[in-house]
Amino acid sequence: MLLFRSMSQAERYDISDHGFRSGRNSLEGKWFAESFEHAKCWGELLYNNSDFIICKLEISDEKYFNSFRLSNLDGVGPAVFVDITNLKDATVVAFDLV
């Protein structure tokens, strides 16, 4: 299953250096959009149209179906919350500058 996440340059470099991990005062996982277009919408909302990255991630169908999913997060579209433990085996396919 392919998932997409908008992020700052700093998060992108942190993932490259350490893999996915939770920051202070955060949940033990990350939100991902189910489409590039929705990830782009979240990026525009979160980063006020400044530069951001969209990470394309591949996770197993089993881990996707075992994750928490909302059909319309923030009025943007479907999103899935993937636990950090389930991101350990995920494969980053690409980082795209938007």
Side-chain angles (χ1 to χ4, degrees):
M1 172 63 89
L2 287 177
L3 299 174
F4 305 86
R5 177 176 171 78
S6 57
M7 63 182 60
S8 66
Q9 289 276 10
E11 183 177 0
R12 183 247 193 266
Y13 291 122
D14 189 65
I15 291 167
S16 295
D17 292 343
H18 306 286
F20 284 96
R21 59 186 183 161
S22 295
R24 289 189 331 210
N25 301 320
S26 68
L27 299 170
E28 294 294 316
K30 301 284 183 178
W31 282 102
F32 290 87
E34 294 183 344
S35 73
F36 182 91
E37 293 77 18
H38 290 139
K40 185 176 178 188
C41 279
W42 272 298
E44 290 167 350
L45 290 170
L46 295 169
Y47 299 104
N48 297 318
N49 293 318
S50 62
D51 289 342
F52 60 92
I53 300 290
I54 294 183
C55 173
K56 184 192 295 187
L57 181 83
E58 187 172 347
I59 66 168
S60 70
D61 288 349
E62 177 186 0
K63 289 181 180 177
Y64 167 79
F65 288 114
N66 286 322
S67 296
F68 178 72
R69 183 181 183 275
L70 291 175
S71 61
N72 194 14
L73 180 64
D74 298 331
V76 174
V80 61
F81 184 81
V82 182
D83 291 340
I84 288 295
T85 55
N86 287 334
L87 291 171
K88 300 287 184 208
D89 299 329
T91 302
V92 173
V93 176
F95 289 106
D96 296 317
L97 181 63
V98 179

